Amino acid sequence: MAKRRPSGDGMVRKREDGRWEGRIVVGHKEDGDPIFQYVLAPTQKALLPKLHQNIEVFRDVELCEDSRMTLAQWLNRWLDEYAAPRLRESTMSGYRMYAEQYIKPRLGNKKMNSITSADIQRLYTKLKKEGRVHEHPEYGRALSAGTVRRIHTMLHRALEDAVKARIIPRNPTEGLTLPKADCPAKRVLTDRELDKFMEAIKADPFWHDFFYTELTTGLRRGEICGLQWRDFDPETGMLQISRTLHRKAGGGFEAGETKTGRGRRKILLPQSTADVLRKRQRKALGEWIFPDPLRPERPISPDAAYRRLKSLLRETGIAENIPFHGLRHTFATHALASGVDAKTLSGILGHTDATFTLNTYTHVTGDMQKQSATIVGNFMEDIFGKELKPWQNAENGAKEASI
């Protein structure tokens, strides 16, 4: 049996067509035969830099035979074997759509071990400019920045698993430039709208407790619909968030894991909310805190909650462009404006960290910064007077000191 050639070993030769070919060993097949990576150039001088670059890329790498598969083949395997066991059906549906509509038509035939960061950067640029499958009357063929960023998240995960499986040496999605995230203003209920909404739910015995709890906790729609009585401690007023209702393939909802690991959390309810649930618990007929009115053995459907919200908005004359998530935003906005710190609010909302919370509610934190600046400014004026600032001496015109 021939001696096993080490990974990184390179060779150069001139082909019959006049071009120069370089090849390096990047791994081995199950029978020990080497797997080669090839580089072509018109001259030996032009070939050598390319070859040395590839040697650096594949240094200390031992790829398997699957490195010859195409991106389309890997995505098929990754979706079925890697992603499906750990992701929700709704997420899987989106990932399969991203693969079929956006990635495979443009890069699907490319071999895994030849995909570069430049290839993927060009893909993102192309998608942002003209990636939409059906032309939009306002945006044309351009994809939103948010969609491109979600495609990147999926592709990054797929190629990260390919690195672990020894199919590619490095993840080519690392360090790419992504389009700036779309940050539309969060639509929340104003103070006046909130007063009208609260009056409206008082007249609705069935939905009052549901929407009161939502507005005082900021739970996600699937989370509040998935609450069970075992999650509520009437003595302490503590509520455990441990599941969510999410859509099943083919229709309907089922209980499953929360959106993120941080989604599993305990929150201390406001006294008024805890009282609402205590009173409700005394009349409970089943395990769900908010059961379906016709089938109390089942939870209220998230779709039914959304429809009732829309009808309440119509009845009160509030604009219907407020999504259900707008109630969550309303809670968070009022909490921050009332002085709840970002770290505490992040835990209540189940965000990954306080930075995400601050970035999400910059419209509130910006106003809070302005308010803080005004307070500090007034404080400084009280000490130094309006004409004399600590950083500016009007009498001698001295330049600012460097600090």
Side-chain angles (χ1 to χ4, degrees):
M1 181 177 178
K3 184 178 180 181
R4 183 184 177 98
R5 302 188 60 171
S7 292
D9 186 30
M11 293 169 288
V12 173
R13 73 181 182 94
K14 188 173 184 179
R15 293 162 44 123
E16 293 183 0
D17 61 9
R19 292 183 297 172
W20 283 80
E21 175 189 273
R23 66 178 185 177
I24 60 172
V25 179
V26 297
H28 295 84
K29 301 177 183 178
E30 291 185 4
D31 62 5
D33 287 346
I35 300 171
F36 293 107
Q37 177 77 4
Y38 295 89
V39 182
L40 295 175
T43 66
Q44 185 178 17
K45 184 178 180 180
L47 174 71
L48 291 179
K50 289 184 177 182
L51 184 62
H52 291 153
Q53 183 180 17
N54 262 358
I55 289 174
E56 287 301 314
V57 170
F58 290 93
R59 185 182 300 278
D60 301 323
V61 170
E62 178 65 26
L63 301 184
C64 65
E65 290 183 70
D66 289 338
S67 63
R68 310 299 297 175
M69 69 167 51
T70 65
L71 177 58
Q73 290 172 325
W74 169 246
L75 286 178
N76 289 341
R77 177 192 291 184
W78 181 78
L79 287 167
D80 291 337
E81 299 179 10
Y82 290 75
R86 64 192 187 196
L87 296 177
R88 296 180 188 171
E89 289 184 4
S90 57
T91 303
M92 283 298 302
S93 177
Y95 277 11
R96 291 188 190 280
M97 184 267 289
Y98 294 156
E100 295 299 326
Q101 293 189 3
Y102 302 120
I103 302 174
K104 288 183 183 179
R106 295 167 176 85
L107 283 179
N109 291 330
K110 190 138 187 165
K111 294 288 181 64
M112 286 289 288
N113 62 7
S114 65
I115 296 174
T116 66
S117 295
D119 292 328
I120 298 176
Q121 188 69 71
R122 283 192 292 269
L123 169 68
Y124 294 164
T125 301
K126 191 82 169 176
L127 290 175
K128 182 67 180 72
K129 289 182 178 179
E130 50 187 57
R132 193 182 292 270
V133 176
H134 302 291
E135 189 166 354
H136 190 278
E138 181 178 354
Y139 304 112
R141 291 283 181 180
L143 267 185
S144 71
T147 301
V148 175
R149 294 174 75 91
R150 286 189 290 274
I151 292 169
H152 166 75
T153 297
M154 173 237 174
L155 191 55
H156 176 81
R157 290 180 175 180
L159 296 183
E160 193 64 27
D161 283 332
V163 173
K164 296 174 183 176
R166 297 189 299 112
I167 292 174
I168 54 176
R170 292 172 184 83
N171 190 337
T173 64
E174 294 285 359
L176 298 185
T177 301
L178 300 178
K180 188 176 180 180
D182 302 317
C183 295
K186 298 290 184 294
R187 179 64 169 96
V188 302
L189 292 170
T190 64
D191 289 346
R192 179 173 173 275
E193 290 173 335
L194 186 55
D195 288 341
K196 292 173 65 176
F197 189 82
M198 296 300 286
E199 283 298 319
I201 63 174
K202 283 181 182 178
D204 189 333
F206 179 79
W207 286 102
H208 171 268
D209 296 356
F210 179 91
F211 285 112
Y212 189 92
T213 302
E214 173 59 31
L215 284 167
T216 54
T217 60
L219 297 179
R220 298 179 179 93
R221 182 167 51 141
E223 290 174 344
I224 188 170
C225 291
L227 290 176
Q228 295 180 349
W229 285 117
R230 58 178 170 161
D231 304 322
F232 174 59
D233 185 339
E235 293 186 6
T236 63
M238 194 72 71
L239 187 66
Q240 170 78 46
I241 314 302
S242 56
R243 78 190 63 78
T244 185
L245 296 187
H246 52 80
R247 193 177 296 278
K248 296 190 298 183
F253 290 85
E254 64 181 358
E257 294 294 319
T258 53
K259 184 177 181 181
T260 65
R262 288 290 185 91
R264 292 183 63 87
R265 60 201 188 276
K266 285 185 177 182
I267 59 176
L268 182 62
L269 296 174
Q271 184 64 46
S272 60
T273 309
D275 288 342
V276 165
L277 294 188
R278 290 186 188 104
K279 183 178 178 181
R280 185 178 185 84
Q281 189 174 31
R282 290 195 289 268
K283 299 181 291 183
L285 298 176
E287 62 179 339
W288 302 99
I289 293 182
F290 301 109
D292 185 303
L294 300 179
R295 293 169 293 183
E297 73 279 4
R298 297 185 183 184
I300 194 71
S301 161
D303 285 348
Y306 176 72
R307 289 192 297 270
R308 183 55 185 142
L309 171 64
K310 288 301 180 183
S311 64
L312 282 167
L313 294 177
R314 282 194 301 271
E315 292 168 12
T316 53
I318 301 174
E320 289 186 51
N321 64 339
I322 300 177
F324 194 93
H325 222 62
L327 302 184
R328 177 174 167 87
H329 294 321
T330 297
F331 163 78
T333 297
H334 282 269
L336 280 173
S338 299
V340 177
D341 66 275
K343 185 175 182 180
T344 299
L345 181 60
S346 174
I348 294 172
L349 295 174
H351 284 166
T352 51
D353 53 48
T355 301
F356 179 82
T357 304
L358 288 172
N359 290 338
T360 303
Y361 298 102
T362 52
H363 63 293
V364 184
T365 53
D367 290 342
M368 291 167 66
Q369 288 177 350
K370 292 177 184 177
Q371 184 180 8
S372 298
T374 301
I375 294 172
V376 171
N378 292 338
F379 169 72
M380 299 299 273
E381 286 183 0
D382 289 342
I383 296 176
F384 296 100
K386 293 185 178 181
E387 300 302 324
L388 184 63
K389 309 280 186 181
W391 58 86
Q392 178 182 342
N393 190 322
E395 292 183 356
N396 58 23
K399 294 183 178 180
E400 297 177 78
S402 296
I403 57 174

